[in-house]
Each structure stands twice: as C-alpha cells, then as structure tokens.
Amino acid sequence: MIGRMRILGPTLLIMALLLIPLLLIAPSGAADEPLEFLSAQEEQRFNRLIEELRCLVCQNQNLKDSDAPLAKDLRLQVLEQMRAGNDDAAVKQFLVERYGDFVLYRPPVQSNTYLLWLGPVFLLLLGGAIVYRTVRRHRDGDPDREGVQ
Amino acid sequence: MKRFFPLLSFAGLAVLLFFGLGNADRKQIVPSPLIDRQAPAFQLPVLDQPERLISRDELLGQAYLLNVWASWCPPCRLEHNIVTQLAIDGPLPVYGLNYKDEPDDAQRWLQTLGNPYALILADRTGRTSIDFGVYGAPETFLIDAAGHIRYKFVGPLTAETVEHELLPAIAALDTGQRGSP
C-alpha cells in the first residue's frame, strides 16, 4: 500500500503540473468579451434585456445565450443604448427598427399576431368543449358505448 | 359526416404540414423592416484608401447594389462569380460592403478571386451593417437613386435568384430614377 502511494505521489504531481498551462489558457477565452458594468443594477437590467432579444444567427437562442459574433456585437449595442439613457422600450425599438419584430422573444400583440396570442386560448376552449361533450354523453349513457360494455 | 371527421382532420393537417414544411427554408429569412425606407446614414472608409470617407448621401443620384461580404465568409466565395457577372453585365454598379474584415485579408481575397466592385466600403466594426439589419453575410441590397432600400436578399446569390428576384426588382425601379450603368 505504501509502495503504491510512493509511485502514485509523483505521478499525481506530474499530472497536476501538466494541468497548469490549461489554467493559464482557460480564462483568456472568457475574457473575450470584457463587458464591464457600472453597477449591479445596470448589469441586472442588461441581463434582463438580452434575455428578451433574439439572436438573428441562431434563431432559437436569445442574445444572452448565443456565442455568435453578431450576438456579441448586438449585446454591445444594447449596453451602449442603455448608457445613452434610453429606456427598455427604446433599446428594443432600436433593434426592431433594424431587424423587425422578430428580434423580440415576446412578440407584440397586434393584428398579425392575434392568432399567435389567442390561438392557444381558442384551442383550449375547443378541447374543453369536446371533453365536456364526451364526458356528458358517457354519463347520460351513449347507446353506442353501452353496447360495447 | 361524423364518420369523415378523422379523415378530414388528417387531410387538413397534411395540407398544413405540406405548406408549412415546404416553406421552411424561407422561414429562416428574417423580413427586413428597412424595405422601402431610407437607407441608414453611414460614413465609411474605402477599403484600399482608408483616408477617403464615403457617406450615404454621396452615393445618392444613382441606384446601386450593395453587396455585404467578408473574406472569412465561405458563402461569399460561393456567390462571387455571380456578383462578378452582375457587375459586368448588370444594369447597376455593384458596391461592396466589407463586413468585419481585416483589410489585408480582404485585399488578398480580392487578388485571388478578382474584384468585381466599383467601390468597396470597409465596415470594420460592423456597426453600419447592424444599421442595415445585416445578420449574416452575404447579403445584397438594392438601393434606388433616392437612397431607399428597395430589395434585400439574404444568403449567396445564385443565377436563379438574380434572374427571378433581383433583376425584376431592378426593373421595377422607376426608370426615371435609374442612372446609367
């Protein structure tokens, strides 16, 4: 047991030493985007905004999650717009003017999105009505069903 | 009637999916809100003369095509022959918007493949491109003599899209506005 420890010891040490360069490399990737915030409040607001904006390159990701270079540029634009004193609506409007409503993860309620917003409610009502009718028919004793039993 | 309900539902769903999935490619394309609007203002250096700045308003008076490209963009290479053809045979001058590129890389690319552009503006930061709503190179804009964006194509141009989309869009410009090539 002790003999094995003696061999393991130096091996572990060498392995640990080999890992040191990795430590030196790793942080440089993260430092690729040195966004510095003036306050925790600003950071919070920034994070909330980029969560609600879509990355145009990888369209199922928001600006916060995306690694695409364009997402990085757009995050920078968002921060600049915030620092220019624009409120949330104005920051979003800045991107909508360039990329359309598509950049908004939460689409606005307007004539061409009624189906999107009200469709699920309609389907829920429709499904509810079908369930209600089916259940009632079973309870009242549907002739077809009674035949099966 | 009730008996046919499942069949009808299936048929309805099939039609819906057929058209929905058939259009899947086009759905990736984000419609630009800038169509028929004034092109965003810009002031950019010319690629091979960095001290010479060109603004949007200096390009007014003649319709032109603005092709967004970069040396790091493989699909740009794909459409390069088409863009070259368009610059030689097409009715309008073709300007390049070099998007987030290293000038040296861009020059090397042009030396290798040829330079079809009448003028190349260098957008190193990508800011002007964001103003144009660019989200993936290559993109091609048709801008009329009054400076309005009249048509936009996202992705590499093909002979087919030039013939069926771009040239008709150019032909639809008011003839009075069109400058001589």
Side-chain angles (χ1 to χ4, degrees), chain A residues 56-57 59 70 73-74 76-77 80 96-100 102 137, chain B residues 2 28 30-31 33-34 99-100 125 127 129-131 133-135:
Chain A
L56 281 300
V57 183
Q59 299 180 353
L70 179 68
D73 290 350
L74 290 179
L76 201 65
Q77 292 270 357
E80 270 175 32
V96 168
E97 274 166 14
R98 285 156 181 75
Y99 294 101
F102 191 76
R137 196 187 310 154
Chain B
K2 209 172 160 188
Q28 294 282 98
V30 182
L34 294 167
Y99 175 48
K100 295 198 76 176
T125 61
R127 238 149 230 272
S129 300
I130 286 178
D131 288 341
V134 170
Y135 64 92

Side-chain angles (χ1 to χ4, degrees), chain A:
Chain A
M1 192 66 192
I2 289 169
R4 210 201 267 171
M5 284 283 274
R6 258 191 219 135
I7 301 164
L8 255 176
T11 313
L12 279 175
L13 186 69
I14 290 166
M15 282 171 77
L17 286 175
L18 284 174
L19 286 174
I20 287 176
L22 274 183
L23 286 175
L24 297 176
I25 295 163
S28 68
D32 190 35
E33 191 181 347
L35 279 185
E36 303 232 335
F37 296 99
L38 303 173
S39 66
Q41 214 175 357
E42 183 183 59
E43 187 171 357
Q44 225 171 30
R45 189 183 154 210
F46 175 78
N47 282 326
R48 203 185 55 239
L49 266 170
I50 59 174
E51 256 175 27
E52 287 183 18
L53 294 165
R54 186 189 300 275
C55 169
L56 281 300
V57 183
C58 20
Q59 299 180 353
N60 288 325
Q61 275 189 313
N62 58 25
L63 282 187
K64 190 179 189 182
D65 294 335
S66 177
D67 283 331
L70 179 68
K72 188 179 141 190
D73 290 350
L74 290 179
R75 283 194 292 267
L76 201 65
Q77 292 270 357
V78 167
L79 189 61
E80 270 175 32
Q81 290 290 315
M82 284 168 54
R83 296 226 169 120
N86 291 330
D87 63 12
D88 289 1
V91 174
K92 286 183 188 169
Q93 188 56 32
F94 173 86
L95 286 170
V96 168
E97 274 166 14
R98 285 156 181 75
Y99 294 101
D101 288 333
F102 191 76
V103 292
L104 303 173
Y105 243 109
R106 210 179 317 152
V109 184
Q110 56 195 27
S111 59
N112 63 348
T113 57
Y114 284 156
L115 188 65
L116 180 70
W117 280 101
L118 301 178
V121 179
F122 172 73
L123 286 178
L124 188 70
L125 289 177
L126 186 74
I130 291 172
V131 168
Y132 177 75
R133 262 185 51 160
T134 312
V135 169
R136 234 178 76 137
R137 196 187 310 154
H138 275 243
R139 203 181 46 201
D140 294 350
D142 186 68
D144 286 355
R145 283 287 162 192
E146 288 214 314
V148 171
Q149 279 188 344

